[in-house]
Each structure stands twice: as C-alpha cells, then as structure tokens.
C-alpha cells in the first residue's frame, strides 16, 4: 500500500529536507523513525526539497509498506518517537500511483519580515531596519505574472530541465505587526523565493525600480538579481493536490 504523510517541521536544526551524505535532514529522521516502528526499511518521497534552515507548516511525503497498521495509531507513535521539531498530523492511504512530488498542483511559501527589533522572534523572522515602500513591492510582485522563465532567481549550477514556473499568487501584506510575502506557484527553483524576496526588498528600499526588475528577469542571470534573504524566515505553508488521490 502507498500512504501519504502530512507533517510540519522547524528547519533550524536540519540541512534541508533531502537526505545528505554527512548532514542530518528531515527526510532521514522520518525515514529512520518509520523504519523502526514498522520493522522494515522505509523510504519516503517529499513534495519538495526545502533548503537548510527553511521551515514547513505543511509538507507531504509518500511511502510504501506491506505492513498493516492503524493510521491514527502510527501518527501517535511517530509523534512520540520523533524530536520536538518535527510533527506528524495525518497518514492516509492513496492510490498506488499517487506521488507526493509529481502530483502536487501547487506549493505556497511565506516569508516573514519584521521592521522592528523583536527579541522573541529573531529565530523565525527576518529583521529589516530600514523603511520599505510596500506599495512598490506589490507593484513588483504583479510584474512576476508577466513571465514564466525565472532563471535569474535560481541558484547557479542547478540541474533542471526548465526554469519555467507558473506563479499563481504573489503579494505583500501586514499581519500581526509583521510584513508577510506569500507566493504560490506550480513549482519553485532552488533559492527562488529567497532571491525574489531579496530583490523585492531592494525595490522597497529604492535601490531598484520596476524597469530594473524587467531587466533582471529577462537577463536570466542570477548575479543581476538581489541578495538572497536568510532561510530562517521562510516557510512552506501549503501543498495542494487533486481531490482524487485518496482511497
């Protein structure tokens, strides 16, 4: 049987989602826990590959097993077994061909910024000391919908067949005293969100304008875009799937 697992994690202690040769990853910790509880070697496939230090309030992965178990019981046991920075929410049966990565219709990320120094949130939010022109940043966000190729925001030497992404949502807004950026797309390139946010901040600071953004995107050159903001304020908040995957 194939199962989907829905989980969340604080990425501070991990070198990203994906297994690494000499560094601890979220995937490794979950695979190890599942393997011990089900008494067989379990491999999981995630909906995406968050980078070192990036968090997820909603992540999905799939795994296969012939072992019989009660889903709620396994959720309880996993949460007792896993470290405090990883939580499992649900486990459910899906069709044999269902795939956590390839069947995802969209992913949504949140980036959190504070414009005031806060001693309680510095581990989770990026502190920007200067004033930002949020209206200009939202104008810049709308510019993203005019393009598909976002190579300029991709990490160099990335092994992908295409740099095309279909951006469905991109907006800045204030919430609970923080400045939030939410972006939704069918897929994201490595470092893409953090590079977009860094570029938008430069626009909000007046260092770049909208014409510069058009030039950056059409250049397809990462060195033309803005800085990459820190990972600790980035969250994967939603992964959407077709309704017909569940059994």
């Amino acid at each position: 049987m194939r199962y989907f697992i829905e989980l969340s994690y604080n990425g501070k202690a991990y070198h990203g989602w994906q297994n690494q040769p000499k560094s601890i990853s979220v995937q490794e910790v979950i695979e190890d826990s599942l393997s011990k509880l089900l008494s067989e070697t379990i491999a999981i496939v995630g909906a995406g590959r968050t980078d070192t230090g990036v968090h997820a309030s909603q992540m999905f992965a799939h795994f296969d097993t012939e072992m019989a178990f009660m889903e709620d019981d396994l959720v309880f046991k996993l949460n007792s077994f896993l470290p405090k920075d990883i939580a499992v929410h649900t486990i459910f049966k899906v069709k044999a061909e269902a795939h956590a990565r390839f069947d995802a219709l969209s992913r949504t990320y949140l980036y959190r910024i504070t414009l005031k120094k806060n001693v309680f949130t510095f581990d989770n939010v990026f502190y920007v000391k200067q004033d930002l022109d949020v209206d200009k940043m939202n104008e810049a966000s709308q510019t993203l919908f005019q393009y598909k190729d976002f190579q300029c925001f991709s990490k160099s030497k990335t092994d992908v067949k295409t740099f095309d992404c279909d951006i469905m949502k991109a907006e800045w807004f204030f919430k609970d005293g923080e400045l939030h950026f939410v972006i939704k797309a069918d897929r994201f390139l490595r470092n893409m969100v953090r590079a977009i946010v860094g570029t938008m901040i430069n626009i909000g600071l007046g260092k770049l304008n909208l014409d510069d953004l058009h030039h950056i995107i059409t250049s397809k050159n990462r060195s033309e875009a803005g800085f990459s903001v820190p990972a600790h304020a980035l969250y994967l908040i939603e992964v959407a799937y077709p309704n017909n995957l569940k059994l």
Side-chain angles (χ1 to χ4, degrees):
M1 292 294 300
R2 175 158 292 186
Y3 294 85
F4 264 35
I5 180 170
E6 181 187 1
L7 65 142
S8 58
Y9 55 86
N10 183 316
K12 182 179 179 180
Y14 301 98
H15 288 259
W17 164 266
Q18 191 176 16
N19 284 336
Q20 304 289 331
K22 297 180 181 180
S23 303
I24 192 71
S25 69
V26 179
Q27 181 182 7
E28 177 186 346
V29 173
I30 297 171
E31 286 180 341
D32 182 60
S33 299
L34 274 172
S35 297
K36 289 176 179 175
L37 289 171
L38 296 177
S39 300
E40 65 174 318
T41 301
I42 300 292
I44 63 174
V45 177
R49 302 174 181 178
T50 55
D51 290 335
T52 298
V54 176
H55 318 290
S57 58
Q58 185 181 63
M59 168 66 95
F60 287 92
H62 75 250
F63 67 95
D64 298 325
T65 181
E66 297 302 321
M67 295 291 292
F69 61 86
M70 298 294 291
E71 286 94 336
D72 289 345
D73 184 52
L74 184 57
V75 169
F76 177 80
K77 289 179 179 178
L78 273 172
N79 280 323
S80 300
F81 211 73
L82 288 165
K84 61 185 178 182
D85 49 14
I86 301 176
V88 172
H89 305 297
T90 58
I91 295 176
F92 52 92
K93 293 178 183 177
V94 293
K95 295 177 179 178
E97 68 275 13
H99 198 286
R101 181 182 176 190
F102 298 138
D103 284 334
L105 300 174
S106 65
R107 290 112 173 135
T108 305
Y109 280 90
L110 162 69
Y111 198 84
R112 296 170 58 190
I113 290 175
T114 180
L115 301 177
K116 294 182 179 180
K117 190 173 183 180
N118 188 324
V119 297
F120 299 109
T121 63
F122 60 83
D123 275 344
N124 308 104
V125 184
F126 180 42
Y127 174 37
V128 176
K129 300 176 182 179
Q130 305 96 320
D131 290 334
L132 296 172
D133 188 334
V134 179
D135 290 337
K136 283 292 184 184
M137 293 162 73
N138 266 319
E139 283 187 60
S141 297
Q142 296 306 302
T143 300
L144 298 175
F145 297 117
Q146 302 175 30
Y147 296 92
K148 296 289 185 184
D149 187 324
F150 294 101
Q151 185 174 355
C152 67
F153 296 125
S154 175
K155 196 166 186 175
S156 302
K157 299 180 181 179
T158 299
D159 184 22
V160 294
K161 295 180 180 179
T162 175
F163 293 96
D164 285 1
C165 304
D166 181 15
I167 294 181
M168 307 166 187
K169 181 179 183 179
E171 64 174 333
W172 291 90
F173 56 91
F174 285 98
K175 182 178 180 180
D176 299 329
E178 296 177 0
L179 177 59
H180 288 185
F181 177 63
V182 171
I183 184 167
K184 177 180 179 180
D186 61 338
R187 64 190 290 261
F188 287 93
L189 306 167
R190 285 194 65 192
N191 202 59
M192 178 175 167
V193 179
R194 292 164 61 194
I196 288 176
V197 173
T199 304
M200 297 287 177
I201 288 175
N202 281 341
I203 289 173
L205 293 173
K207 295 180 179 180
L208 296 172
N209 58 41
L210 297 182
D211 288 338
D212 293 325
L213 181 58
H214 287 287
H215 167 76
I216 288 167
I217 297 174
T218 55
S219 76
K220 301 183 180 183
N221 187 340
R222 177 64 186 92
S223 64
E224 295 284 337
F227 68 104
S228 181
V229 289
H232 71 269
L234 180 60
Y235 301 76
L236 174 62
I237 61 170
E238 183 182 50
V239 185
Y241 290 96
N243 293 324
N244 61 355
L245 292 185
K246 284 187 178 182
L247 286 180

